[in-house]
Amino acid sequence: MKRILIFICCIGLMTGCDDEQMDVVKLDHISEHWNVKNLQSGHMDAKSVKWTPDLLDTCSGNAISRIEEDVTVYRSYELNRKFDDAHKIVMYMEGNQPYAVCYDSASEQIRAEEIDEFPYFVHTEEGTDILSTPTIRSGTHEELKEMEQKDEGHFYPAPIRLLEGTMIHVTPSLYGQIDLSIGDQQGLFPISHLEPFSAQSEEVGIALGYDEQSKEAYFYYEKNDGLTTMLPLVVWNEKEHKHEPIQFEGLRVEQALQGDILEPGVKTPLYTFSFVEGGKRVNEVISLTYLNGEFSTNDAVRNASESNPAGETDPFVFVHEKPLNGAIDVQYPDVLRAEGNDISDLMAVIKDATPVKRAGDVTDYSRLSIIDGWGGQEFQLSFKERSQKIDVYLTDPLRDQTFKLSSKGAERFLDVFPEVKGS
């Protein structure tokens, strides 16, 4: 019998030792902090919140720099945190194998990774096919006139006319850029930057317009929604460090397009410009060069351990009355936020707290939250007032474990958040 009692006591001591070593701060993805929207439909529903941990973990593995083949995009999601500017976009696609492509506000980088399989909520019955390399083809006279009619409501009062033989159609690729050159000068093409999150399979119609009075050329550009816009043909001014319009007196244009693919790194002639310069008629070739996009392979922000999505190195530490679920503004006095050096002091105080069996009394400021990167942790905050001091307790509801700040830790906590004493 004595042996049994000794064994039970040992077990109790061992358990106590484990409690003493328990980490107080244990960050996790808190689904209630996020809104999740399907980018294809624009819809946001309650069940999509459950996908938050999977989406936030996506693109945190081994990054790849390129996706070389054509792909089919199945689903794209946007996550926005309800109480700050943190956001992330995640795309799921398939080429030779499944891929994920992400952009987040923490790194401001586009990352891609190979994945073994799609998450359970990604359905592959329907998708959008995206090319690995842009295609280009000549348009017809009828298509040019149709575009001209669509542009009756443009905002440019100048007498601009579309030039015959300049109509082209471009089908964008997944990721990259299309550079335009006018001889040895660099210009801007209407769809110069091709990004995964705006990738479309539809052709884009583009034609050239010319203003006889200003001698300037313009791109007519038909967007995916069918509306047209007009962009001036500009070149880069190295001295002024800006793009500016260029004049072409007596402009004549012939289309020089030969192939139907913008091969990566190959300068592809598009138009031949003939215009008067210095009293003589000269020719200049307008060319396009496609460059493959290269995804970032820098380390991702993993589970909130490196920096928060606002770009700061310290976590956020909040004391608040109600959950941070978007129902309240993160404003004083409903939410108290630590600033500056107080943050590092509080984190040290919290990490130094010890496990205890009981909590204190809950007041108006009933919660403390730590937000770091994509993750966070929410404690129930409680107090026990004694004759000379106030004890501060933090209860982690997920682990059903309460921690007590040290005496000095409680004093420092109340220095940072004196408002809680009067609640």
Side-chain angles (χ1 to χ4, degrees), residues 4 13 40-41 53 56 61 82 109 128 139-140 177 189 201 223 228 242 276 281 285 305 329 346 356 365 373 403 419:
I4 294 175
L13 289 172
Q40 278 84 358
S41 67
L56 291 177
K82 297 175 182 179
Q109 300 169 349
T128 301
T140 64
Q177 67 184 61
F189 195 56
S201 59
K223 298 181 179 179
T228 59
K242 65 178 182 179
V276 177
R281 182 160 288 277
V285 176
S305 61
D329 291 331
L346 284 173
V356 293
Y365 287 105
F403 302 90
E419 297 92 335

Side-chain angles (χ1 to χ4, degrees), residues 72-128:
T72 300
V73 177
Y74 293 119
R75 288 289 185 274
S76 302
Y77 301 95
E78 181 178 11
L79 298 93
N80 290 276
R81 193 147 57 192
K82 297 175 182 179
F83 50 84
D84 62 16
D85 296 329
H87 61 274
K88 181 175 182 177
I89 302 175
V90 181
M91 293 181 71
Y92 295 102
M93 63 190 68
E94 189 168 27
N96 296 334
Q97 68 177 71
Y99 297 100
V101 175
C102 307
Y103 171 85
D104 64 72
S105 57
S107 64
E108 297 185 342
Q109 300 169 349
I110 301 178
R111 290 172 55 86
E113 67 177 5
E114 299 174 352
I115 57 178
D116 295 329
E117 59 183 1
F118 295 119
Y120 68 93
F121 51 84
V122 175
H123 303 290
T124 58
E125 291 82 7
E126 295 182 1
T128 301

Side-chain angles (χ1 to χ4, degrees), residues 317-324 327-337 363-369 381 417 419-420 423:
V317 181
F318 300 103
V319 168
H320 47 108
E321 298 179 343
K322 298 178 181 179
L324 298 176
I328 60 171
D329 291 331
V330 186
Q331 301 291 338
Y332 181 88
D334 296 328
V335 176
L336 312 176
R337 175 179 167 182
T363 64
D364 291 342
Y365 287 105
S366 60
R367 291 171 170 84
L368 180 142
S369 289
L381 182 61
F417 298 119
E419 297 92 335
V420 302
S423 65

Side-chain angles (χ1 to χ4, degrees), residues 26-30 33-34 56 81 83 301-305 307-309 315-316 370-377:
K26 185 176 175 60
L27 300 176
D28 203 351
H29 298 315
I30 303 177
H33 286 178
W34 297 86
L56 291 177
R81 193 147 57 192
F83 50 84
V301 178
R302 299 176 187 273
N303 294 331
S305 61
S307 67
N308 60 61
F316 295 138
I370 300 170
I371 305 298
D372 195 0
W374 305 122
Q377 187 174 9

